Amino acid sequence: MALHEITYVSLATHEMAQSELLQLLDQSRVYNVAHGITGLLMYHRQEFLQLLEGERDEVEALFATICRDRRHQQVYSMWEGPVAARSFDRWAMGFVSPDEAALRERPGYECVLNEGLVRAGRGSNGKKILLQLRDDFLRPL
């Protein structure tokens, strides 16, 4: 199996409520498990930053779906290419929001914004992009 990854950013069409983020987390987790996709999705102040990894056809199909998703606008792929190994063993979603308590209880949620990416260390080009963008992504207004 040849692994492939895509790292992209997009802007949500509106500020997503906690309930919408929970629904997105649950739906994405089910889909990704069924299609062998892992990675990381971060949401902060109406912006998404995501790394998708898995078999090329599956990753490209999911990215095409995201590009058509009405919740996203200004979707921009920053990196796409083959990888030797997965950067994330399981799919995870990280958030910065006023109340993370409900999200912390859900399977698939991890506190990756503060420690997960650093703990992951070096890896693919996509992961290096995530590491480089993390501070800009989380910069206060």
Side-chain angles (χ1 to χ4, degrees), residues 43-58:
Y43 175 81
H44 182 52
R45 276 195 245 109
Q46 208 172 330
E47 294 179 310
F48 289 103
L49 173 61
Q50 184 165 30
L51 181 147
L52 300 169
E53 57 192 5
E55 290 189 44
R56 183 177 183 160
D57 291 346
E58 294 288 354

Side-chain angles (χ1 to χ4, degrees), residues 29 37-40 53 86-93 108-110 119:
R29 187 167 188 265
I37 294 174
T38 54
L40 174 73
E53 57 192 5
R86 292 178 189 265
S87 294
F88 301 93
D89 292 349
R90 55 190 173 148
W91 188 79
M93 179 180 246
Y109 175 85
E110 291 185 23
R119 185 177 64 234

Side-chain angles (χ1 to χ4, degrees), residues 100-129:
E100 294 183 14
L103 295 168
R104 289 181 191 276
E105 303 298 319
R106 289 300 235 265
Y109 175 85
E110 291 185 23
C111 188
V112 295
L113 295 176
N114 294 326
E115 61 190 58
L117 292 175
V118 173
R119 185 177 64 234
R122 296 189 179 113
S124 70
N125 288 332
K127 189 180 350 177
K128 289 174 186 173
I129 289 169

Side-chain angles (χ1 to χ4, degrees), residues 4 6 16-17 24 31 37 54 64-65 70 75 81 87 89 125 129:
H4 193 76
I6 295 174
M16 297 184 76
L24 177 62
Y31 180 90
I37 294 174
T65 299
R70 292 182 181 198
V75 181
S87 294
D89 292 349
N125 288 332
I129 289 169

Side-chain angles (χ1 to χ4, degrees), residues 56-73:
R56 183 177 183 160
D57 291 346
E58 294 288 354
V59 170
E60 288 179 347
L62 177 54
F63 183 65
T65 299
I66 291 166
C67 289
R68 292 187 306 269
D69 190 318
R70 292 182 181 198
R71 295 173 287 196
H72 293 269
Q73 58 187 348

